[in-house]
Amino acid sequence: MHHPGAAFNKEAAGLPDDYTFSQVWAALQHNRLVDSVASINAHGNPRTPVTVTEVRRFWGLVHCGALSPNVGEKNWWSTSGASRRAMKRRAIRGFDFHKYMPLSRFKLIKRWVAMANSGTEAEVAADAWMRCRPGVERLNELRRALIRCSSTICLDELMSAFAPQSTATGNLPHLTYEPAKPDPLGTMLKCSADSSTRTMARVEIMEGAEAMQAKEYQDLTFGEPQLLKLGSQAACTVRLVQQTCQRGDFAVADSWFGSVPAVVRAKDHVGVYLVVLVKKSSKFYPKQFLADNMALSSSGARVALTATINGTELVALGYKYNKKTILFFLFARGAGSCRNGEPYEARFADKKTGQSRSRMVPRPTIISRYFNNTPVVDNHNQARSSLLGLEKAWVTQNGWFRIETTLQGINSTDVWNICKFDTEHPDYDRRRRLTIQQFANELGAELIGRDNDQLAAPGPVAAGGRVRAQDWMALHTLERMPVTDQGRRRLKYCDSCKRRHGGGDGGGGDGGGTAPQRTGFWCQQCHVAVCNTNVACYLYHCDNAPIGE
């Protein structure tokens, strides 16, 4: 059955209508958690076997650590009085990880958690990616069973950043270097995402040129009368479309997926209308003809050419984006209309006055729909890698743990998106306003909470109405102050500086202490200015501010 609107299948997951974050998190990777426990107990050989609850708590601590001003295991566990005094001097206090898991136990799980179902030595020798392949396959299987995708899918890529220090690829078989990425070196994953709820539907690791040429659909032929093989890029496109979409669906993809063989095979083999941007893979595409004929055209002009290959009628659409740029699109006939759709706003500087001006430029309906759906994976990547930032917070030289951290970031970002768009949940109004950092606060608190299947966050308030130290991350979040009516950033003196040192507004104060620092950040919950560069001020505010002060 095709579902026109994407949704999380609560019935298949066995969850109630008022499910918690941690319940969705566990449902989307239940089998992976069981595999991780088996791997840790088999390879780590602990004296006391690791349980599923401990693995959940481990990932809860990983989420909490990513939201902290300081990173690294040594900043979280204190085993002696000397180290505790040192941590206090450095103002690293508040959330004590040792209350929830010993450091030795944490390191044991961290070392082996990414080796789920790693196979025998013979299997690892035959398949270099055997150590993480089962985890990726589990991730895809659970999403296929629990997430009902809409009729619009986005194909793109993401990077699991990894920079080994000792060897070229660390302990991984292959690394990809992509200079256009913010973190250019790491493990590249091609993926498909649902454009409605912005959840990841399928991921596939780029294992290197030789390994990718041995995958499924590589032997599919293309073209008449001379039959040619698809190639690894077009075969990867067909695999993602076949595993994610249903017949008649609409898919958009960037230029890496953009080729004539990929569009033809997506239509005649899977029945999906794939719309791609063509750049380098321009074989069989009239790119030069369109460029020559549109060189002198004005912005918004378009030229459409048609051809029939393997019984599929294709449309090559050239679109003049601005004075210098021509965009080349390719899709099967029936994917959309070339008539005017939603225009875009072009901004430019006035030649005489230098002021910014804008005008509306017409564009075809098919291109409007393309650009409305292509940012899905990019937004997902920004939330996962930049805002949540599990990879950046937990530095490692174990490439398998780095890939597992990325997969966990994907899972947590998906849970955040699922809960934001579930309008039937009783707590929808509050959940849809949560940032991913606030969501990760609550998720981490649930995962390290009670030892049962329905994990719950610890109580937020201790005696006297004061914030408990271990809950500071869940109750106080720094954010930029809103701009003034004139569009300028606000700057205020840090409230914690004043209270800690007794200073006034820049004058040193009656206490004779250090002058407070001006800052553009405040506590989102308390609306009190707090330094974003001084950890001591932030933690002082967390320890001394009543809720809602």
Side-chain angles (χ1 to χ4, degrees), residues 400-420:
W400 304 113
F401 179 72
R402 170 57 68 244
I403 295 176
E404 182 64 22
T405 308
T406 300
L407 297 180
Q408 289 295 330
I410 292 173
N411 191 72
S412 297
T413 307
D414 286 344
V415 176
W416 175 56
N417 283 319
I418 288 172
C419 295
K420 280 203 317 181

Side-chain angles (χ1 to χ4, degrees), residues 96-146:
D96 296 327
F97 277 37
H98 66 85
K99 293 182 179 180
Y100 299 95
M101 182 177 293
L103 178 58
S104 59
R105 196 73 165 176
F106 184 91
K107 288 184 175 181
L108 172 70
I109 298 176
K110 180 182 176 183
R111 181 178 181 182
W112 300 110
V113 71
M115 308 286 283
N117 286 343
S118 57
T120 63
E121 294 183 2
E123 290 175 333
V124 173
D127 183 1
W129 291 92
M130 188 64 187
R131 293 179 174 176
C132 74
R133 190 185 307 282
V136 175
E137 292 176 353
R138 291 283 197 186
L139 187 83
N140 293 331
E141 290 172 1
L142 288 166
R143 270 152 179 72
R144 189 173 180 84
L146 298 179

Side-chain angles (χ1 to χ4, degrees), residues 506-537:
D510 298 334
T514 306
Q517 180 180 347
R518 289 167 64 89
T519 178
F521 287 78
W522 66 2
C523 175
Q524 185 179 29
Q525 289 74 20
C526 305
H527 290 183
V528 173
V530 180
C531 298
N532 67 310
T533 57
N534 192 334
V535 178
C537 286

Side-chain angles (χ1 to χ4, degrees), residues 170-231:
N171 61 340
L172 296 178
H174 173 75
L175 290 180
T176 302
Y177 180 74
E178 179 56 59
K181 296 292 182 182
D183 298 306
L185 185 63
T187 303
M188 180 74 74
L189 295 91
K190 301 299 177 180
C191 57
S192 59
D194 175 55
S195 296
S196 179
T197 58
R198 306 168 193 173
T199 54
M200 205 67 71
R202 184 174 182 83
V203 297
E204 180 175 326
I205 295 179
M206 296 291 100
E207 303 174 7
E210 185 176 350
M212 297 304 294
Q213 291 173 1
K215 288 186 173 290
E216 189 180 9
Y217 298 139
Q218 187 68 34
D219 295 331
L220 279 179
T221 56
F222 160 80
E224 294 178 356
Q226 183 180 5
L227 297 180
L228 304 173
K229 289 187 177 181
L230 281 187

Side-chain angles (χ1 to χ4, degrees), residues 231-243:
S232 58
Q233 291 186 351
C236 177
T237 305
V238 175
R239 285 194 300 273
L240 287 174
V241 169
Q242 193 271 334
Q243 293 293 333

